[in-house]
């Protein structure tokens, strides 16, 4: 044994301990952060708190209503109080995380001279024509004229009237509580013309929990920047039928005016094609009593698939496609009728499929077969066809029949088949739907980023997210201040930006980097380095522990 | 130059057809043709052509209404303002040496400034390409000639090529308005020996396992042409059944041909037996003479060894005994073969052959391939060798395709030539032979136009060992770990001198035994 043994050894042991601790410290303080930083996936900062804030967003849909009182509509002392503003706010109960409140801001004022003059005219139509001219009303706003209780403008049993533009007429009352009573009537009419629960429930159908009506509510197409409408004439038997349709004229006359009226809601493109030898996938049932063929209702879903493979996809755009098929049944299956649930033939001989389009069966008049040889020349009656297709088009765009309050007169449709307030209602619904979609997309993105750490967020994706969040907020603000047009534009921007961010391919660049491969690369370096450090740390810890215990024992 | 003629012909045809129209003239028409040709080697080539013409300015009209013209293609034209489109899917290789010049060539009137040309030699053609192609046909595959298009037969062939050609066609002589023409073509070569149990006889049913049942009611012309050139007057070598009602004679690709015509729109043709199964029987087997060698054929190969350099060689054969003719050679070579243009040599008959025109567009890495275009005069009865050296580039390791050791394809070179005919073609009545003028464009009586494609090539590129990054990581880590380990030990361990133990292994063993016995150790 060495003479200076114990002291020198102790010194060595302490130095060794210090060295081990220093190694550990360097590895933890310098090595770990360095490794973390260099292997990190790039993620630009995102507004997570704002995104989670969007879920608790309160949507306040403001409908500015101008209420115009004519001279004899309310008692005189009430007239003295004009003008003033009343706000009627109501929460729309939906099982949705966003709270939606509907707010009618009624600005009461007296009628101007020319309005008095117009409203004292003989019929509603005349009055409307005279009122129309002065100024265009902003999208989403309404004007309600209150006329005297005994005015002959409306038929005596009618209490109110809804016009084709953004105007309505309500009968006044000579009563102490006149403003309250009239106010209720006005709200009824204004709701029918703008926002009802049904409209919003249909718009949010995808985001609401399923219920038994959900299938019905999911009929309208999802909101999109544009839509493609394709009319197809299916002629499965060109040997017997030489079918001609004047689709160009029909589109010009019936479809285009309707789409022009709808143009605020998106871009539309229309085209048509004729498909020969395109069969339905179902064999119709022969009914010998009427010697005609029937398609049962439960068979209708099977009709579409075989036809759809022939329709062809659109090469030119990514917008959703609405298909309207006119099917001229083959000679062997003529005439062909569609039966409803109860077995009665459907009057229009047509049906529609939610979010897809409509099919109409067009039977060739049996008289045409008698005289001529095959193929017979068939000229399609486009008025009959377009009536059906336009009705289906309205349904597929979610323009439902309005719920008219009792004792209310509804004006006849305008020439283009769409009332101005119906368009407004569509825009309200689409804006809310867009906001819900954008919010869901952003929330899913945030959740996904929390769950999967390998997703890269580049700066341009992050800027899209910021833009989407800002657009959602802007749209909500515009809705609350009653600017429907700009709110709709902002909501479209929100959807576009959020989806561009969510579906950006750069998100997936590092997604396929499984953990086992990562460990296979790290282990050759980390294991040999970490094991000695850990072992010596354990040893140091045990020794210190022992040296602490010893003094206790001696006590 | 070659394309101007067919254009003029089509205009004539259109004017001729106008009288046939009903009260409301159809603005589109469909014509379908099938040409069946026995090839010199004994195989049978069948060529379908479906032609849809539409008198419509697709690029101008906003709302588009389609009848016979497929909507998918029409939208493509109007959305991207296409001038022309030629797309073909080919499986197999047309053996010009044994089968003669190919029947279908793409027209050559494309504006070169806007031309986009691409080839995907690696792609496999399959049923999934045929189905959408068939859907473009107005009669789908339910009536007319398209009934014969049965996928499992069409792909059991030595050669299968389906194509879509879209081009504008002038409606009148001054070209003030245009029509769009869609040609869908399909050519297949059946191996007659396999399908016909050693005989060269064929029938529609044996080839396609279908027969013709009814004409397509939408077609304004529906014809089958059968090449019966050997069907001479007295010498009874072959027999076609049913006997043709009309025959047609013309000079096609420089040789005189006789075709039997079956017109499906002729009501007598099908109504007799509800189906039409054209058969051809050889009464006397044709002599086993060597097939005539076509005047122009070509061959292409890669030579050289190692993975650094190589040479691309193209052999152009002119077998005409006394006439020389020029050939336009177009080559696109991928950028990862770096061509050395100074090594470009063209030799024929041992002498250097100077091309009269060269256009070379160098490649840009990862952006565009080399483009080499030359006009070469081929002397009579000669072999011309065009060779150019290249260096193989190293790709980035993520740029390699799956299975890179299979090699990388180099697209075939394209040869376009005006080949002298054996027989001088006399000016024929074009209205009588609409098909052949679009199938075989003739430039003048003594020449005919041929476009050939050479073989695609497979070139090996230097491929790295793809596990290398991981190997490097492992090796580096091991080295680092070993260095680090010894360094760590050196710094943290304490060393002290220990007395050497007295006694060796023997003493320890003895002690072990003693302990076991319970005796104190030594």
């Amino acid at each position: 044994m060495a003479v200076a043994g114990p002291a020198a050894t102790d010194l060595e042991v302490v130095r060794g301990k210090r060295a081990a601790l220093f190694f550990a410290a360097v590895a933890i303080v310098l090595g770990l952060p360095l490794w973390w930083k260099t292997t990190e996936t790039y993620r630009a900062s995102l507004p997570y708190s704002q995104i989670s804030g969007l879920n608790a967003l309160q949507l306040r849909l403001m409908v500015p209503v101008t209420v115009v009182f004519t001279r004899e509509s309310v008692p005189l002392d009430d007239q003295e109080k004009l003008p003033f503003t009343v706000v009627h706010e109501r929460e729309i109960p939906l099982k949705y995380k966003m709270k939606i409140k509907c707010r009618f801001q009624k600005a009461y004022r007296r009628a101007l001279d020319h309005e008095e003059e117009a409203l004292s005219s003989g019929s509603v139509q005349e009055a409307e024509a005279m009122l129309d001219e002065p100024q265009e009303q902003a999208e989403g706003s309404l004007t309600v004229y209150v006329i005297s209780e005994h005015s002959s403008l409306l038929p005596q049993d009618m209490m109110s009237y809804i016009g084709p533009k953004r105007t309505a007429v309500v009968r006044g009352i000579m009563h102490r509580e006149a403003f309250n009573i009239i106010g209720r009537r006005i709200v009824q009419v204004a709701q029918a013309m703008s926002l009802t629960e049904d409209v919003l429930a249909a718009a949010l159908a995808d985001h609401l929990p399923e219920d038994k009506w959900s299938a019905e509510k999911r009929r309208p197409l999802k909101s999109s920047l544009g839509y493609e409408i394709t009319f197809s004439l299916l002629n499965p038997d060109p040997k017997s039928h030489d079918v001609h349709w004047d689709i160009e004229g029909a589109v010009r006359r019936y479809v285009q005016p309707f789409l022009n009226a709808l143009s605020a809601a998106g871009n539309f493109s229309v085209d048509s094609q004729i498909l020969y030898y395109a069969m339905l996938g179902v064999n119709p049932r022969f009914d010998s009593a009427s010697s005609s063929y029937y398609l049962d209702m439960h068979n209708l879903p099977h009709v579409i698939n075989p036809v759809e493979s022939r329709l062809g996809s659109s090469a030119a755009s990514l917008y959703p496609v609405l298909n309207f098929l006119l099917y001229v049944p083959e000679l062997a299956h003529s005439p062909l009728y569609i039966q409803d649930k109860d077995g009665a033939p459907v009057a229009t001989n047509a049906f529609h499929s939610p979010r897809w389009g409509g099919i109409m069966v067009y039977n060739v008049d049996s008289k045409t077969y008698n005289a001529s040889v095959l193929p017979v020349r068939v000229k399609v009656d486009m008025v009959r066809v377009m009536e059906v297709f336009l009705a289906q088009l309205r349904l597929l765009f979610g323009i439902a029949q309005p719920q008219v309050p009792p004792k209310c007169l509804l004006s006849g449709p305008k020439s283009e088949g769409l009332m101005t307030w119906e368009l407004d209602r569509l825009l309200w619904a689409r804006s809310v739907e867009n906001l819900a979609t954008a919010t869901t997309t952003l929330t899913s993105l945030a959740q996904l980023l929390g769950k999967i750490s390998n997703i890269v967020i580049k700066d341009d994706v992050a800027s899209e997210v910021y833009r989407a969040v800002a657009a959602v907020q802007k749209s909500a603000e515009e809705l609350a201040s009653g600017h429907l047009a700009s709110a709709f534009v902002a909501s479209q921007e929100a959807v576009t930006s959020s989806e561009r961010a969510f579906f950006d391919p750069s998100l997936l660049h590092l997604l396929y980097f499984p953990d086992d491969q990562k460990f296979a690369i790290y282990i050759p370096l980390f294991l040999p380095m970490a094991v000695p450090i850990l072992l010596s740390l354990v040893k140091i810890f045990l020794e210190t522990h022992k040296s602490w215990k010893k003094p206790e024992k001696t006590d | 130059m070659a394309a101007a003629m067919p254009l003029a012909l089509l205009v004539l045809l259109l004017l001729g057809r106008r009288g046939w129209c009903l009260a409301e003239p159809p603005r589109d028409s469909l014509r379908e043709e099938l040409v069946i040709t026995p090839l010199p080697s004994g195989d049978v080539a069948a060529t379908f052509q479906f032609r849809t013409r539409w008198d419509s300015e697709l690029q101008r009209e906003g709302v588009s209404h389609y009848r016979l013209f497929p909507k998918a293609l029409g939208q493509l034209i109007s959305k991207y303002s296409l001038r022309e489109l030629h797309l073909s899917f080919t499986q197999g290789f047309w053996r010009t040496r044994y089968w003669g010049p190919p029947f279908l060539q793409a027209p050559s009137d494309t504006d070169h400034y806007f031309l986009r040309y691409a080839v995907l030699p690696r792609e496999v053609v399959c049923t999934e390409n045929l189905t959408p192609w068939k859907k473009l046909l107005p009669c789908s595959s339910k009536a007319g000639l398209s009934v014969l298009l049965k996928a499992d037969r069409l792909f059991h062939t030595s050669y299968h090529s389906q194509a879509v050609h879209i081009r504008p066609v002038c409606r009148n002589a001054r070209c003030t308005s245009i029509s769009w023409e869609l040609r869908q073509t399909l050519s297949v070569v059946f191996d007659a020996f396999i399908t016909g149990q050693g005989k060269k006889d064929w029938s529609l049913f044996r080839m396609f396992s279908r027969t013709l049942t009814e004409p397509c009611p939408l077609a304004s012309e529906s014809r089958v042409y059968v090449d019966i050139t050997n069907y001479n007057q007295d010498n009874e070598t072959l027999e076609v059944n049913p006997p043709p009602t009309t025959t047609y004679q013309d000079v096609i690709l420089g040789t005189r041909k006789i075709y039997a015509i079956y017109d499906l729109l002729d009501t007598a043709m099908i109504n007799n037996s509800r189906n039409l199964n054209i058969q051809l029987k050889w009464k006397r087997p044709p002599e086993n003479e060597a097939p005539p060698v076509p005047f122009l054929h070509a061959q292409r190969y890669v030579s050289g060894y190692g993975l650094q350099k190589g040479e691309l060689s193209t052999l152009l054969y002119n077998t005409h005994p006394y006439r020389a003719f020029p050939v336009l050679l177009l080559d696109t070579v991928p950028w990862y073969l770096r061509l050395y243009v100074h090594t470009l040599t063209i030799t024929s008959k041992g002498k250097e052959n100077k091309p009269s025109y060269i256009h070379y567009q160098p490649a840009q890495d990862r952006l565009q391939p080399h483009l080499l275009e030359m006009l070469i005069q081929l002397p009579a009865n000669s072999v011309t060798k065009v060779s150019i050296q290249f260096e193989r580039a190293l790709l980035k390791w993520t740029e390699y395709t799956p299975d890179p050791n299979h090699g990388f394809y180099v697209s075939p070179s394209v040869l376009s030539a005006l080949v002298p005919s054996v027989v001088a073609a006399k000016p024929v009545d074009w209205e009588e032979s609409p098909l052949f003028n679009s199938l075989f464009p003739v430039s003048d009586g003594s020449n005919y136009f041929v476009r050939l494609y050479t073989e695609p090539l497979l070139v090996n590129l230097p491929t790295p060992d793809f596990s290398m990054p991981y190997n490097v990581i492992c090796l580096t880590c091991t080295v680092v770990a070993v260095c680090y380990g010894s360094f760590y030990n050196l710094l943290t361990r304490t060393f002290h001198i220990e007395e050497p133990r007295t006694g060796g292994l023997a003493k320890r063993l003895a002690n072990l035994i003693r302990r076991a016995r319970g005796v104190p150790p030594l």
Side-chain angles (χ1 to χ4, degrees), chain A residues 249-261:
Chain A
V251 165
R252 203 172 48 238
R253 247 168 286 147
Y254 311 114
V255 183
Q256 213 60 57
F258 178 72
L259 295 182
N260 288 345

Side-chain angles (χ1 to χ4, degrees), chain A residues 524-539:
Chain A
L525 183 65
F526 280 20
L527 207 64
M529 289 183 92
V531 167
I533 293 179
L534 286 180
L535 280 182
S536 39
L537 282 183
V538 167
K539 198 173 154 196

Side-chain angles (χ1 to χ4, degrees), chain A residues 283-290 292-301 303 335-352 361 363:
Chain A
N283 267 336
R285 187 172 50 76
F286 181 65
D287 181 52
S288 48
S290 57
S292 42
Y293 290 82
Y294 286 98
L295 272 178
D296 295 333
M297 192 182 156
H298 65 267
N299 271 335
L300 296 182
V303 162
L336 178 68
Y337 298 103
I338 297 173
Q339 273 179 332
D340 63 7
K341 268 192 294 241
D342 312 320
V346 178
T348 53
N349 219 5
F351 66 97
H352 71 267
V361 177
N363 286 312

Side-chain angles (χ1 to χ4, degrees), chain A residues 1 9 12-13 15-16 19-20 23 228 230 238-239 244 247-248 251 256 270-274 276-277 309-311 314-316 377 520-521 524-525 528-529 532-533 536, chain B residues 24 27 63-68 71-72 75-76 79-80 135 137-140 142-143 214 217-218 470 473-474 477 480-481 484 487-488 490-496 499:
Chain A
M1 294 241 171
T9 318
E12 275 288 289
V13 168
R15 190 194 57 78
F23 263 101
E228 284 198 26
T230 303
K239 255 177 27 180
H244 293 262
I247 184 69
E248 274 168 78
V251 165
Q256 213 60 57
V270 183
D271 43 31
S272 81
Q273 59 181 345
I274 301 183
Y276 298 94
Y277 290 102
S309 71
R310 282 292 302 278
L311 293 179
S314 165
R377 193 177 155 85
I521 288 172
L525 183 65
M529 289 183 92
I533 293 179
S536 39
Chain B
E24 181 186 292
R27 292 171 68 204
V63 180
S64 42
H65 302 282
Y66 299 88
R67 199 176 84 99
L68 295 178
K71 181 169 83 95
Q75 282 185 333
L76 214 63
K79 164 105 191 221
Y80 299 105
K135 274 190 199 160
L137 297 171
C139 274
S140 196
K142 302 275 176 30
E214 55 177 346
L218 308 166
Y470 181 64
I473 288 172
C474 281
C477 290
V480 168
Y484 161 84
F487 193 55
Y488 188 86
L490 207 64
L491 288 176
T492 56
R493 290 283 156 96
T494 50
F495 298 94
H496 54 91
E499 287 269 310

Side-chain angles (χ1 to χ4, degrees), chain A residues 541-555:
Chain A
F541 175 75
L542 286 179
E543 273 176 23
T544 346
H545 197 66
K546 214 188 276 171
S547 64
W548 278 349
K549 274 188 180 169
K550 255 182 200 164
E552 280 169 25
K553 269 186 186 172
T554 48
D555 285 344

Side-chain angles (χ1 to χ4, degrees), chain A residues 407-421:
Chain A
K407 287 190 173 182
C408 177
L409 182 71
L410 190 66
S411 84
K414 292 203 310 185
S415 59
E416 54 262 46
L418 184 75
M419 300 204 227
T420 316
W421 53 266

Side-chain angles (χ1 to χ4, degrees), chain A residues 152 193 460:
Chain A
S152 59
M193 293 175 79
D460 55 331

